[in-house]
Amino acid sequence: MAKKRIMSGMRPTGSLHLGNYFGALENWVRLQDEYQCFFSIVDWHALTTGYEDTAELKENIIEMAIDWLSAGLDPNKSTIFVQSNIKEIAELHLLLSMTVPLSWLERCPTYKDQLLQLREKNIATYGFLGYPNLQAADILIHKAEVVPVGEDQLAHLELSREIARRFNHMFGVTFPEPAAKLNQIKLLPGLDGRKMSKSYNNTIALSDSPDVIREKVRSMITDPQKIKKDDPGHPDVCSVYGFHKVFSESEHKDIYDICVQGGIGCVGCKKKLADNVISYMAPMYEKRQALVSDKSTIIDILKSGTKQAKEAARETIREVREKMNLLELE
Ligand code: TRP
Ligand code: SF4
């Protein structure tokens, strides 16, 4: 049986961290064997909110490719590409925009939300309003049936299905209605116990070296009531323990008990954690070292992924143009 098609994307807005890894990327890596996968670095989507300062966009795209490849996305299994190099996506975005009612976009919860939250960014733009339409074009150009995403993207997926349905109804069945596949996530707190997020400055980046990781773990906040080594601790309120649950699979139950009994100090507990995080990330770190010293390989991988993605996109656009009765002169 032919493998089902998956499509997903991430905005290149700077280096990924472990929260992004356990929230999305780890799923993508796993899905590569079961599905035919298209993974897109969605630089146009990054522009919808970041158009005022594009100075780092190019570097961020390369950085995203390095993060993805070192985390285990495999160009021999998946098609990895850069959105803005597939002009067919822009054409589909335009054609779909003719059919999408304004009210669908205006009532999208992420639209209203972001307008409020990013007030300083001046995103009351035509491009940002069209964000979900652009996302639908990403998905539909590759006729993806399944889209692995986080919960925050469910509204966008619902819109993509509505947009596909409307097109199919008006011009004949062309697109499968894409289903969201919720990422299985491992909950990892930030270094300070809040949600891991770049804006809180509490992350471990996929690109952090072992030394940096050790230092970050050393400065993590623990149970404030555990001051001396043999004070009994409360692992449930301790972010170090939150990390142990993810990185110390075989030992974390023991660590819990010893902490509660006051049998281990936080310094030793963190040392153990740093060792485990570093050894978990070692294969990623090695791959990264090989990649960063060989930029031309990264470019070649993106080029060949983009070429593959383009071929598939061309076919869809040909079909769409025909169904909409556009005159073909070439
Ligand atoms: N909007 C998605 C996000 O912020 C990124 C994205 C763009 C995407 N195009 C996509 C995700 C297509 C899935 C499929 O995470
Ligand atoms: Fe947290 Fe470990 Fe200290 Fe317990 S011993 S409070 S789990 S750092």
Side-chain angles (χ1 to χ4, degrees):
M1 213 178 71
K3 288 182 178 172
K4 283 194 179 177
R5 269 192 196 193
I6 266 189
M7 191 276 144
S8 201
M10 282 186 206
R11 280 167 293 145
T13 53
S15 49
L16 295 179
H17 55 68
L18 283 172
N20 304 129
Y21 177 74
F22 289 117
L25 205 46
E26 193 197 27
N27 286 260
W28 293 10
V29 172
R30 210 168 354 93
L31 294 168
Q32 293 183 106
D33 294 313
E34 215 182 310
Y35 293 91
Q36 185 190 359
C37 298
F38 289 84
F39 295 124
S40 177
I41 300 177
V42 290
D43 49 353
W44 281 329
H45 277 105
L47 287 179
T48 60
T49 53
Y51 65 91
E52 282 173 307
D53 182 7
T54 65
E56 288 171 4
L57 188 54
K58 245 185 228 150
E59 284 147 62
N60 286 344
I61 292 168
I62 300 292
E63 182 62 29
M64 176 143 280
I66 296 173
D67 279 342
W68 284 7
L69 294 166
S70 55
L73 289 194
D74 179 348
N76 294 314
K77 295 180 183 168
S78 301
T79 304
I80 299 168
F81 63 101
V82 180
Q83 182 190 38
S84 68
N85 282 262
I86 317 275
K87 309 291 195 285
E88 288 77 3
I89 298 172
E91 185 171 352
L92 184 58
H93 168 268
L94 173 78
L95 295 174
L96 293 175
S97 76
M98 305 301 168
T99 73
V100 178
L102 207 43
S103 61
W104 291 8
L105 300 171
E106 283 167 341
R107 68 162 190 240
C108 182
T110 51
Y111 178 66
K112 292 187 279 189
D113 231 53
Q114 299 274 82
L115 274 190
L116 285 176
Q117 280 184 30
L118 301 178
R119 239 166 312 182
E120 80 286 3
K121 276 203 169 172
N122 195 10
I123 53 171
T125 58
Y126 175 52
F128 185 66
L129 178 69
Y131 186 111
N133 185 51
L134 181 56
Q135 183 161 347
D138 281 335
I139 297 167
L140 300 181
I141 197 90
H142 287 116
K143 298 194 175 186
E145 299 167 84
V146 179
V147 184
V149 284
E151 241 174 85
D152 62 317
Q153 294 297 310
L154 290 181
H156 290 162
L157 259 290
E158 182 61 38
L159 253 176
S160 292
R161 278 194 296 280
E162 280 175 322
I163 292 171
R165 221 174 288 142
R166 186 167 170 88
F167 186 97
N168 290 345
H169 176 72
M170 295 172 90
F171 301 107
V173 175
T174 308
F175 302 115
E177 288 179 24
K181 181 178 175 63
L182 271 186
N183 292 327
Q184 291 170 21
I185 57 173
K186 286 198 189 123
L187 271 188
L188 186 73
L191 294 170
D192 57 1
R194 292 186 290 177
K195 182 182 154 63
M196 189 179 281
S197 161
K198 240 185 311 187
S199 49
Y200 293 153
N201 201 12
N202 64 357
T203 67
I204 292 183
L206 298 188
S207 54
D208 283 344
S209 69
D211 286 346
V212 171
I213 295 171
R214 198 170 288 288
E215 184 48 35
K216 284 186 174 176
V217 171
R218 205 187 56 76
S219 63
M220 276 172 84
I221 294 162
T222 67
D223 173 8
Q225 292 184 37
K226 186 163 160 64
I227 294 156
K228 295 196 299 305
K229 193 175 164 188
D230 49 7
D231 287 341
H234 304 84
D236 292 320
V237 300
C238 173
S239 51
V240 174
Y241 183 67
F243 270 67
H244 271 302
K245 279 204 271 193
V246 173
F247 290 101
S248 314
E249 268 187 345
S250 60
E251 315 170 86
H252 80 260
K253 294 213 168 66
D254 294 342
I255 291 168
Y256 189 98
D257 294 339
I258 310 176
C259 169
V260 169
Q261 292 155 13
I264 184 174
C266 295
V267 174
C269 185
K270 287 174 170 179
K271 189 173 173 313
K272 202 189 273 282
L273 176 64
D275 290 342
N276 292 352
V277 176
I278 289 166
S279 71
Y280 185 94
M281 292 177 69
M284 281 195 230
Y285 193 66
E286 266 168 45
K287 266 191 227 159
R288 170 179 304 272
Q289 297 312 102
L291 282 167
V292 289
S293 60
D294 188 9
K295 284 261 160 67
S296 66
T297 297
I298 304 165
I299 297 293
D300 286 347
I301 289 172
L302 290 178
K303 267 192 190 161
S304 87
T306 299
K307 187 160 169 267
Q308 272 174 40
K310 204 177 179 67
E311 277 163 23
R314 267 211 200 105
E315 273 179 39
T316 306
I317 274 296
R318 200 176 302 130
E319 187 185 344
V320 166
R321 290 179 55 98
E322 198 178 297
K323 290 204 163 130
M324 294 181 88
N325 296 313
L326 290 156
L327 176 64
E328 217 58 69
L329 289 174
E330 305 178 23

